[in-house]
Amino acid sequence: IPAWNCMFTGKNPGKIGVYGLLKFPFYKEEGLRIMNYSCQDSPSLWDLLGKYGKKVGIVNVPTTYPPTKINGFMISGGLTTPLYSNINYTYPPTLREKLEEIADGYEILPFTDLTIRGREEEYIQRFKENIAKQVKVVKYLMRENQWDFLTYVFFVTDSVQHYCWHHMDDTHPWHKLAKAKYKDYIKRVYVMVDTAIGTLMEALPDDTDILIVSDHGSQGLYGYFLVNEWLKDIGLLKLRSYYNFYQVLIPKIMALCKDFLFSCLNSQIVESAVRWIPKSFTEKFLLREQFRRQATSLI
């Protein structure tokens, strides 16, 4: 984010008002805010095409949640689409039920946790299933709808490179954990995607123009450069008091609480304490619950 927004508007982040996945307005009552499609203040390519009477179909493009009314159909893509059962991710809304039926449970993203190592065999199967479900849906939409412009994003190529780069790259800090049999793991997923693209191309009219694009490439990641920290260190940035409160005092309090809880792990104290804390209170501090509340309020 906001690479996809920039791609389909032709504008830079400053001109569309989207800079990243989250905003942290600590000085406002609502606190954390999740970026979503309604934050973009410029029309996308499909909006312009629809304005001039062209039929469009948008499938799985990241940052297109909540789905919006267009001259055609839209299925929201990953990154900002909540994966809750009660969330509507299609336009028109009635399309969702059909997709679930066709795909036997449509998947916006492959259900993988990219922070847990050692699940290569399980995840390759999930990537395969995700591609199959989505391609089945796209073929149906192509066949049953009139369209002049259609875009569909394979998100699995992103997921697999995050998860398996260290198997392929012998300069990666994690390469010592790599296994030879997974060296071509990323290539295997690309072959799956390439085969799927071929399947979709076979269903297209011969005079169809085809563009293959990506929002970014991939490579090994060896560290971060924190611009704000550097500016603070050289004296060119000073933070306001409310920022210091949230960024310094609260983490210290949380650290003390964590130390106390760990010291009690072998007793019944933690369990007893949790029972007495109202769920409505604890949920206010969970990112998951903040996401759920904000996502529900968008529809």
Side-chain angles (χ1 to χ4, degrees):
I1 297 175
W4 291 103
N5 308 76
C6 294
M7 180 189 300
F8 286 113
T9 60
K11 297 182 178 180
N12 66 39
K15 290 183 177 180
I16 61 176
V18 178
Y19 302 94
L21 178 60
L22 302 172
K23 289 181 72 175
F24 296 90
F26 294 110
Y27 50 89
K28 292 187 177 180
E29 184 178 350
E30 64 267 23
L32 179 72
R33 185 184 180 193
I34 309 165
M35 295 308 286
N36 60 74
Y37 193 43
S38 64
C39 297
Q40 176 181 304
D41 60 9
S42 297
S44 294
L45 174 59
W46 44 83
D47 297 316
L48 298 175
L49 290 171
K51 180 180 178 181
Y52 290 95
K54 300 298 182 181
K55 290 286 187 177
V56 298
I58 313 304
V59 182
N60 208 41
V61 176
T63 70
T64 52
Y65 179 85
T68 186
K69 182 179 180 180
I70 58 175
N71 189 26
F73 57 86
M74 174 183 284
I75 305 173
S76 296
L79 299 181
T80 59
T81 304
L83 303 180
Y84 303 133
S85 59
N86 62 334
I87 291 293
N88 182 58
Y89 55 86
T90 68
Y91 176 83
T94 53
L95 178 60
R96 174 186 166 177
E97 185 175 347
K98 188 63 177 179
L99 300 188
E100 296 288 344
E101 175 189 334
I102 294 170
D104 190 23
Y106 181 78
E107 292 181 2
I108 296 172
L109 293 175
F111 294 122
T112 54
D113 187 334
L114 302 182
T115 65
I116 302 176
R117 299 291 129 197
R119 294 188 174 180
E120 284 79 3
E121 295 295 339
E122 174 189 348
Y123 285 2
I124 193 85
Q125 183 61 31
R126 291 193 179 185
F127 293 146
K128 183 178 181 179
E129 292 171 357
N130 180 259
I131 293 171
K133 286 175 179 287
Q134 291 191 350
V135 169
K136 192 173 183 179
V137 161
V138 174
K139 288 179 67 176
Y140 167 82
L141 294 171
M142 289 168 53
R143 183 177 67 251
E144 299 296 325
N145 294 272
Q146 177 188 352
W147 54 272
D148 300 294
F149 173 81
L150 174 72
T151 181
Y152 164 46
V153 174
F154 290 90
F155 199 86
V156 291
T157 54
D158 182 285
S159 299
V160 71
Q161 290 182 84
H162 277 292
Y163 195 72
C164 292
W165 193 270
H166 67 288
H167 290 303
M168 179 183 67
D169 183 359
D170 59 10
T171 68
H172 195 283
W174 291 355
H175 189 67
K176 60 184 178 182
L177 304 175
K179 296 183 179 180
K181 64 178 180 178
Y182 298 135
K183 184 176 181 179
D184 294 329
Y185 194 109
I186 295 175
K187 181 179 179 180
R188 287 168 60 189
V189 172
Y190 266 85
V191 170
M192 293 180 191
V193 170
D194 191 59
T195 302
I197 292 174
T199 299
L200 295 175
M201 288 174 62
E202 290 174 356
L204 296 173
D206 293 337
D207 61 347
T208 303
D209 294 317
I210 300 171
L211 292 83
I212 298 179
V213 300
S214 178
D215 64 324
H216 61 75
S218 291
Q219 66 176 35
L221 179 63
Y222 306 105
Y224 297 91
F225 175 59
L226 304 177
V227 179
N228 280 358
E229 292 300 317
W230 176 69
L231 291 173
K232 282 168 55 183
D233 290 343
I234 64 175
L236 294 180
L237 176 65
K238 184 177 181 180
L239 303 178
R240 295 177 180 175
S241 58
Y242 59 75
Y243 184 90
N244 287 326
F245 173 77
Y246 278 96
Q247 292 297 312
V248 179
L249 182 58
I250 288 183
K252 287 184 178 180
I253 294 174
M254 294 301 292
L256 289 173
C257 292
K258 182 183 72 173
D259 292 342
F260 170 74
L261 289 174
F262 275 114
S263 69
C264 300
L265 282 179
N266 294 324
S267 69
Q268 301 298 316
I269 297 178
V270 175
E271 184 178 349
S272 300
V274 170
R275 286 202 193 102
W276 286 97
I277 301 175
K279 185 178 180 183
S280 59
F281 177 80
T282 57
E283 284 184 347
K284 292 181 180 180
F285 301 96
L286 298 178
L287 284 178
R288 179 185 64 193
E289 295 305 322
Q290 292 189 48
F291 286 2
R292 187 192 297 273
R293 288 196 298 273
Q294 290 186 36
T296 303
S297 68
L298 290 173
I299 296 297

